[in-house]
Amino acid sequence: MTARIGVVTFPGSLDDRDTQRAIRLAGAEPVALWHKDKDLQQVDAVVLCGGFSYGDYLRAGAIARFSPVMATVIEQAKAEMPVLGICNGFQILTEAHLLPGGMLGNDHLHFICRDQKLKVENASTAWTTDYESGQEIHIPLKNMDGRYVADEHTLDMLEAEGRVAFRYVTGGDAADGYGNPNGSLRDIAGISNAAGNVVGLMPHPEHAVEPLVGSGRTDGLPFFTSILKKLVNA
């Protein structure tokens, strides 16, 4: 069985081709999906890639949430199809209420681009099983609206249910990727839904899948090998 993983392109998407390449390197078949189409072409999982969908007008991800493709993505995600939202994709997932909370502008009001150190908090989601809980990884980060926020009740729920998937690692030199880069509450870099099939994170694992390009690391590849193993063994 060859797993088929769809990558949605919205107007303003930047990282669809990079994401397709990461999927291919992991051993799955990438399938290009267009935002105007409701048909997911019988894919086994979906990635909402990074970029600035619809120019981030209104709010980042706010317009993309109403694209025709999202009606099917929302329906299938609720039926436990695996869905990964990267950066702008994470923003879209919160706008679509597939993940709780929301994204605001970085607290320093500047775009940030750097290699970011993360701690894996949950290695049991559909997209993280090839990591270990507590593992620290470096993943490239690039965003303007990356500050994760939620009310205290929601934050406590995410913590209690183990749904914080990734956290920014603080306590070191920013030049080495340490620190909270955008003011996200509780240093949250990524979360999952209750079932663990939907994951969103701000850093870009597709830019850390081979040693000769991107960050020069392969710390992001386990996202894509994790989902491949889940789909093949399902």
Side-chain angles (χ1 to χ4, degrees):
M1 169 186 171
T2 300
R4 289 164 46 85
I5 302 178
V7 179
V8 179
T9 298
F10 298 94
S13 293
L14 301 178
D15 302 300
D16 42 355
R17 297 297 180 89
D18 302 69
T19 304
Q20 291 173 27
R21 179 172 176 78
I23 290 168
R24 191 176 295 110
L25 286 171
E29 177 187 351
V31 178
L33 300 176
W34 185 235
H35 71 110
K36 286 189 175 181
D37 299 328
K38 289 186 176 181
D39 183 7
L40 297 184
Q41 300 184 37
Q42 298 182 317
V43 297
D44 304 298
V46 169
V47 180
L48 305 180
C49 66
F52 301 90
S53 59
Y54 297 92
D56 280 351
Y57 291 117
L58 300 181
R59 290 184 309 276
I63 298 177
R65 176 260 179 272
F66 293 102
S67 290
V69 72
M70 285 304 298
T72 312
V73 170
I74 292 169
E75 175 186 314
Q76 292 301 308
K78 290 179 178 179
E80 299 196 2
M81 171 184 277
V83 177
L84 175 65
I86 301 171
C87 195
N88 189 229
F90 185 11
Q91 295 160 345
I92 295 168
L93 290 176
T94 62
E95 291 287 340
H97 304 297
L98 288 174
L99 292 175
M103 312 301 297
L104 296 179
N106 298 341
D107 60 353
H108 45 72
L109 302 181
H110 293 285
F111 181 85
I112 187 169
C113 181
R114 74 181 198 185
D115 203 17
Q116 178 67 46
K117 194 152 193 176
L118 303 178
K119 180 181 179 182
V120 180
E121 296 283 6
N122 185 342
S124 62
T125 78
W127 299 91
T128 59
T129 54
D130 270 359
Y131 293 110
E132 295 181 4
S133 293
Q135 181 179 351
E136 293 188 357
I137 59 177
H138 279 88
I139 302 290
L141 174 83
K142 51 177 186 177
N143 64 69
M144 181 68 188
D145 300 290
R147 177 161 51 116
Y148 180 75
V149 296
D151 60 71
E152 286 297 311
H153 173 76
T154 299
L155 292 170
D156 289 342
M157 175 195 68
L158 291 172
E159 301 276 13
E161 296 179 2
R163 291 169 54 186
V164 176
F166 297 92
R167 215 181 295 268
Y168 299 116
V169 180
T170 59
D173 193 331
D176 295 323
Y178 288 91
N180 186 326
N182 45 39
S184 290
L185 297 181
R186 303 194 189 182
D187 302 323
I188 291 174
I191 60 174
S192 76
N193 67 344
N197 62 300
V198 178
V199 171
L201 79 159
M202 287 310 297
H204 288 259
E206 76 279 10
H207 295 325
V209 294
E210 50 189 334
L212 294 179
V213 298
S215 70
R217 303 175 187 269
T218 59
D219 290 8
L221 190 59
F223 275 89
F224 305 100
T225 57
S226 294
I227 191 61
L228 175 62
K229 289 178 181 178
K230 175 177 177 57
L231 295 173
V232 169
N233 296 326

Coordinates of all heavy atoms in Angstrom, one line a residue, residues 15 49-52 56 60 84-92 94 99 102-104 106 111-112 114 116 118 139-149 166 168 181-182 184 188-191 199-207 223:
D15 N 4.6 27.0 0.9 CA 5.4 25.8 1.2 C 4.8 24.5 0.7 O 5.1 23.5 1.2 CB 5.6 25.8 2.7 CG 6.3 27.0 3.2 OD1 7.5 27.3 2.7 OD2 5.8 27.7 4.0
C49 N -0.5 23.6 4.4 CA 0.9 24.0 4.4 C 1.0 25.5 4.9 O 0.0 26.2 5.0 CB 1.5 23.8 3.1 SG 0.8 24.8 1.8
G50 N 2.2 26.0 5.0 CA 2.5 27.3 5.4 C 2.3 28.3 4.3 O 2.3 28.0 3.1
G51 N 2.3 29.6 4.7 CA 2.2 30.7 3.7 C 1.4 31.8 4.3 O 1.3 32.0 5.5
F52 N 0.7 32.6 3.4 CA -0.1 33.7 3.8 C -1.4 33.6 3.0 O -1.6 34.4 2.0 CB 0.6 35.0 3.5 CG 1.9 35.1 4.3 CD1 3.1 34.7 3.7 CD2 1.9 35.7 5.6 CE1 4.3 34.8 4.4 CE2 3.1 35.8 6.2 CZ 4.3 35.3 5.7
D56 N -3.5 36.9 4.3 CA -3.8 37.1 5.8 C -4.8 38.2 6.0 O -4.7 38.9 7.1 CB -2.5 37.3 6.6 CG -1.7 36.0 6.9 OD1 -2.3 34.9 6.6 OD2 -0.6 36.1 7.4
A60 N -5.1 35.9 10.0 CA -4.4 34.8 9.3 C -5.3 33.6 9.3 O -5.7 33.1 10.4 CB -3.0 34.5 10.0
L84 N -2.6 17.7 9.3 CA -1.5 18.4 9.9 C -1.6 19.9 9.4 O -1.7 20.1 8.2 CB -0.2 17.8 9.5 CG 1.1 18.6 10.0 CD1 1.2 18.6 11.5 CD2 2.3 18.0 9.4
G85 N -1.6 20.8 10.3 CA -1.5 22.2 9.9 C -0.2 22.9 10.3 O 0.2 22.9 11.5
I86 N 0.5 23.4 9.3 CA 1.9 23.9 9.6 C 1.8 25.4 9.4 O 1.4 25.9 8.3 CB 2.9 23.4 8.6 CG1 3.0 21.8 8.7 CG2 4.3 24.0 8.8 CD1 3.9 21.2 7.6
C87 N 2.1 26.2 10.4 CA 2.1 27.7 10.4 C 0.8 28.2 10.0 O -0.2 28.2 10.8 CB 3.3 28.1 9.5 SG 3.7 29.9 9.8
N88 N 0.7 28.7 8.8 CA -0.6 29.2 8.3 C -1.7 28.1 8.4 O -2.9 28.4 8.6 CB -0.5 29.7 6.9 CG -1.7 30.4 6.4 OD1 -2.2 30.2 5.3 ND2 -2.3 31.4 7.1
G89 N -1.3 26.8 8.2 CA -2.2 25.7 8.3 C -2.7 25.6 9.7 O -3.9 25.2 10.0
F90 N -1.8 25.8 10.7 CA -2.3 25.8 12.1 C -3.3 27.0 12.4 O -4.3 26.8 13.0 CB -1.0 26.0 13.0 CG -1.2 25.9 14.5 CD1 -2.4 25.5 15.0 CD2 -0.2 26.3 15.3 CE1 -2.6 25.4 16.4 CE2 -0.4 26.2 16.7 CZ -1.5 25.8 17.3
Q91 N -3.0 28.1 11.8 CA -3.9 29.2 11.9 C -5.3 28.9 11.3 O -6.4 29.2 11.9 CB -3.4 30.5 11.2 CG -2.1 31.0 11.9 CD -1.2 31.9 11.0 OE1 -1.4 31.9 9.8 NE2 -0.3 32.6 11.6
I92 N -5.3 28.2 10.2 CA -6.6 27.8 9.5 C -7.3 26.8 10.4 O -8.5 26.8 10.5 CB -6.3 27.2 8.1 CG1 -5.7 28.3 7.2 CG2 -7.5 26.6 7.5 CD1 -5.2 27.7 5.9
T94 N -7.3 26.6 13.6 CA -8.0 27.2 14.8 C -9.2 28.0 14.3 O -10.2 28.0 14.9 CB -7.0 28.2 15.5 OG1 -6.6 29.2 14.6 CG2 -5.8 27.4 16.1
L99 N -9.1 22.9 16.0 CA -8.2 23.1 17.2 C -8.6 24.3 18.0 O -9.1 25.3 17.4 CB -6.7 23.2 16.8 CG -6.1 22.0 16.1 CD1 -4.7 22.3 15.7 CD2 -6.1 20.8 17.1
G102 N -6.5 30.5 19.4 CA -6.3 31.3 18.2 C -4.9 31.8 18.1 O -4.1 31.6 19.0
M103 N -4.6 32.5 17.0 CA -3.3 33.0 16.8 C -3.3 34.5 16.6 O -4.1 35.1 15.9 CB -2.7 32.4 15.5 CG -2.8 30.9 15.4 SD -2.0 30.0 16.7 CE -0.3 30.5 16.4
L104 N -2.4 35.2 17.3 CA -2.3 36.7 17.2 C -0.9 37.1 16.7 O 0.0 36.2 16.6 CB -2.5 37.3 18.6 CG -3.9 37.2 19.2 CD1 -3.9 37.8 20.6 CD2 -5.0 37.7 18.3
N106 N 2.8 38.4 16.6 CA 4.0 38.2 17.5 C 4.0 39.4 18.5 O 3.8 40.5 18.1 CB 5.3 38.1 16.7 CG 5.3 36.9 15.8 OD1 4.5 36.0 15.9 ND2 6.2 36.9 14.8
F111 N 8.1 40.2 12.0 CA 8.3 38.8 11.4 C 9.5 38.2 11.9 O 10.6 38.9 12.1 CB 8.3 39.0 9.9 CG 8.5 37.7 9.1 CD1 7.4 36.9 8.8 CD2 9.7 37.2 8.8 CE1 7.5 35.7 8.2 CE2 9.9 36.0 8.1 CZ 8.7 35.2 7.8
I112 N 9.5 36.9 12.2 CA 10.7 36.2 12.7 C 11.0 35.0 11.9 O 10.1 34.3 11.4 CB 10.5 35.9 14.2 CG1 11.8 35.3 14.8 CG2 9.3 34.9 14.4 CD1 11.8 35.1 16.3
R114 N 13.9 31.9 12.0 CA 15.1 31.4 12.7 C 15.0 29.9 12.9 O 13.9 29.3 12.7 CB 15.4 32.0 14.0 CG 14.4 31.6 15.1 CD 14.7 32.4 16.4 NE 14.1 31.8 17.5 CZ 14.2 32.3 18.8 NH1 14.8 33.4 19.0 NH2 13.6 31.6 19.8
Q116 N 14.5 27.0 15.3 CA 13.9 27.1 16.7 C 14.0 25.7 17.4 O 13.8 24.7 16.8 CB 12.4 27.4 16.5 CG 11.6 27.4 17.8 CD 12.0 28.6 18.7 OE1 12.2 29.7 18.3 NE2 12.2 28.3 20.0
L118 N 12.6 23.1 19.9 CA 11.3 22.6 20.4 C 11.5 21.4 21.3 O 12.4 20.6 21.1 CB 10.3 22.2 19.3 CG 10.0 23.2 18.2 CD1 9.1 22.6 17.2 CD2 9.3 24.4 18.8
I139 N 13.7 23.0 14.5 CA 12.8 23.1 13.4 C 12.8 24.6 13.0 O 12.6 25.4 13.8 CB 11.4 22.6 13.7 CG1 11.3 21.2 14.2 CG2 10.5 22.8 12.5 CD1 11.7 20.1 13.1
P140 N 12.9 24.9 11.7 CA 12.8 26.3 11.2 C 11.5 26.9 11.6 O 10.4 26.3 11.5 CB 13.0 26.2 9.7 CG 13.8 24.9 9.5 CD 13.3 24.0 10.6
L141 N 11.5 28.2 11.9 CA 10.3 28.9 12.3 C 10.3 30.2 11.4 O 11.3 30.9 11.3 CB 10.3 29.3 13.8 CG 9.2 30.2 14.3 CD1 8.0 29.4 14.6 CD2 9.7 31.0 15.5
K142 N 9.1 30.6 10.9 CA 9.0 31.8 10.2 C 7.5 32.3 10.2 O 6.7 31.7 9.6 CB 9.5 31.7 8.7 CG 8.9 30.5 8.0 CD 9.3 30.4 6.5 CE 8.6 29.3 5.8 NZ 9.0 29.3 4.3
N143 N 7.3 33.3 10.9 CA 5.9 33.8 11.1 C 5.8 35.2 11.5 O 6.7 35.8 12.1 CB 5.1 32.9 12.0 CG 5.6 32.9 13.4 OD1 5.4 33.9 14.1 ND2 6.2 31.8 13.9
M144 N 4.6 35.8 11.3 CA 4.3 37.1 11.8 C 3.2 37.1 12.8 O 3.1 37.9 13.7 CB 3.8 38.0 10.6 CG 3.5 39.4 11.0 SD 4.9 40.4 11.5 CE 4.1 41.8 12.1
D145 N 2.3 36.1 12.6 CA 1.2 35.9 13.5 C 1.3 34.5 14.2 O 0.4 33.7 14.0 CB -0.1 36.0 12.8 CG -0.3 37.4 12.1 OD1 -0.4 38.4 12.8 OD2 -0.2 37.5 10.9
G146 N 2.3 34.4 15.0 CA 2.5 33.0 15.6 C 2.3 32.9 17.1 O 2.6 31.9 17.7
R147 N 1.6 33.9 17.7 CA 1.4 33.9 19.1 C 0.1 33.2 19.5 O -1.0 33.6 19.2 CB 1.3 35.4 19.7 CG 1.1 35.5 21.1 CD 1.4 36.8 21.7 NE 0.9 37.9 20.9 CZ 0.0 38.8 21.4 NH1 -0.5 38.7 22.7 NH2 -0.5 39.8 20.7
Y148 N 0.3 32.0 20.0 CA -0.8 31.1 20.4 C -1.5 31.6 21.7 O -0.8 31.9 22.7 CB -0.4 29.7 20.6 CG -1.6 28.8 20.9 CD1 -2.6 28.5 20.0 CD2 -1.8 28.4 22.3 CE1 -3.7 27.7 20.3 CE2 -3.0 27.7 22.6 CZ -3.9 27.3 21.6 OH -5.0 26.6 22.0
V149 N -2.8 31.8 21.6 CA -3.5 32.3 22.8 C -4.8 31.5 23.0 O -5.3 30.9 22.0 CB -3.9 33.8 22.7 CG1 -2.7 34.7 22.6 CG2 -4.8 34.0 21.4
F166 N 3.9 20.3 21.2 CA 5.3 20.9 21.2 C 5.3 22.2 22.0 O 4.3 22.9 22.0 CB 5.7 21.2 19.7 CG 5.8 20.0 18.9 CD1 4.7 19.6 18.1 CD2 6.9 19.2 18.8 CE1 4.7 18.4 17.3 CE2 7.0 18.1 18.0 CZ 5.9 17.7 17.3
Y168 N 8.1 25.6 23.0 CA 9.3 26.2 22.8 C 10.2 26.0 24.0 O 9.8 26.1 25.1 CB 9.1 27.7 22.5 CG 8.2 28.0 21.3 CD1 7.0 28.7 21.5 CD2 8.7 27.7 20.1 CE1 6.2 29.0 20.4 CE2 7.9 28.0 18.9 CZ 6.6 28.6 19.1 OH 5.9 28.9 18.0
P181 N 9.6 32.6 20.8 CA 9.9 33.6 19.7 C 8.8 34.5 19.4 O 9.0 35.5 18.7 CB 10.1 32.7 18.5 CG 9.2 31.5 18.7 CD 9.3 31.3 20.2
N182 N 7.6 34.3 20.0 CA 6.4 35.1 19.6 C 5.5 35.4 20.7 O 4.4 36.1 20.5 CB 5.7 34.4 18.4 CG 5.5 32.9 18.7 OD1 5.2 32.5 19.8 ND2 5.6 32.1 17.7
S184 N 3.8 33.2 22.6 CA 2.8 32.2 22.8 C 2.6 31.8 24.3 O 3.6 31.6 25.0 CB 3.1 30.9 22.0 OG 3.0 31.1 20.6
I188 N 3.6 27.4 24.1 CA 3.0 26.4 23.3 C 3.4 26.7 21.8 O 3.2 27.7 21.3 CB 1.5 26.4 23.4 CG1 1.2 25.8 24.8 CG2 0.8 25.5 22.4 CD1 -0.3 25.9 25.2
A189 N 4.0 25.7 21.2 CA 4.3 25.7 19.8 C 3.4 24.9 18.9 O 3.4 25.1 17.7 CB 5.8 25.2 19.6
G190 N 2.7 23.9 19.5 CA 1.8 23.1 18.7 C 0.9 22.3 19.6 O 1.3 22.0 20.8
I191 N -0.3 22.0 19.1 CA -1.3 21.3 19.9 C -2.0 20.2 19.0 O -1.8 20.2 17.8 CB -2.4 22.2 20.5 CG1 -3.1 23.0 19.4 CG2 -1.7 23.2 21.5 CD1 -4.3 23.8 19.8
V199 N -3.2 17.8 14.2 CA -2.1 18.5 14.9 C -1.8 19.8 14.2 O -1.8 19.9 12.9 CB -0.8 17.6 14.9 CG1 0.4 18.4 15.4 CG2 -1.1 16.4 15.8
G200 N -1.5 20.9 14.9 CA -1.1 22.1 14.3 C 0.2 22.6 15.1 O 0.3 22.4 16.3
L201 N 1.1 23.2 14.3 CA 2.3 23.8 14.9 C 2.8 24.9 14.1 O 2.5 25.0 12.9 CB 3.4 22.7 15.1 CG 4.2 22.4 13.9 CD1 5.5 21.7 14.4 CD2 3.5 21.4 13.0
M202 N 3.4 25.9 14.7 CA 3.9 27.0 14.0 C 5.2 26.8 13.2 O 5.4 27.2 12.1 CB 4.1 28.2 14.9 CG 2.8 28.8 15.4 SD 1.7 29.2 14.0 CE 2.6 30.4 13.1
P203 N 6.2 26.1 13.8 CA 7.5 25.8 13.0 C 7.2 24.9 11.8 O 6.2 24.3 11.7 CB 8.4 25.1 14.0 CG 7.9 25.6 15.4 CD 6.4 25.7 15.2
H204 N 8.2 24.8 10.9 CA 8.1 24.2 9.6 C 8.9 22.9 9.5 O 10.1 23.0 9.1 CB 8.5 25.2 8.5 CG 7.5 26.3 8.3 ND1 6.6 26.3 7.2 CD2 7.3 27.4 8.9 CE1 5.9 27.4 7.2 NE2 6.3 28.1 8.3
P205 N 8.3 21.8 9.8 CA 9.1 20.5 9.7 C 9.5 20.2 8.3 O 10.5 19.5 8.1 CB 8.2 19.5 10.3 CG 6.8 20.0 10.1 CD 7.0 21.5 10.3
E206 N 8.8 20.7 7.3 CA 9.1 20.4 5.9 C 10.4 21.0 5.5 O 11.0 20.6 4.4 CB 8.0 20.8 5.0 CG 7.9 22.3 4.7 CD 7.2 23.1 5.7 OE1 6.9 22.5 6.8 OE2 6.9 24.2 5.5
H207 N 10.9 22.0 6.2 CA 12.2 22.6 5.9 C 13.4 21.9 6.7 O 14.5 22.5 6.6 CB 12.2 24.1 6.3 CG 11.2 24.9 5.4 ND1 10.9 24.6 4.1 CD2 10.4 25.9 5.8 CE1 10.1 25.4 3.7 NE2 9.7 26.3 4.6
F223 N 7.8 13.7 11.4 CA 6.4 14.1 11.2 C 5.8 13.2 10.1 O 4.7 12.7 10.2 CB 6.2 15.5 10.8 CG 6.2 16.5 11.9 CD1 7.4 17.0 12.4 CD2 5.0 16.8 12.5 CE1 7.3 17.9 13.5 CE2 4.9 17.7 13.6 CZ 6.1 18.3 14.1

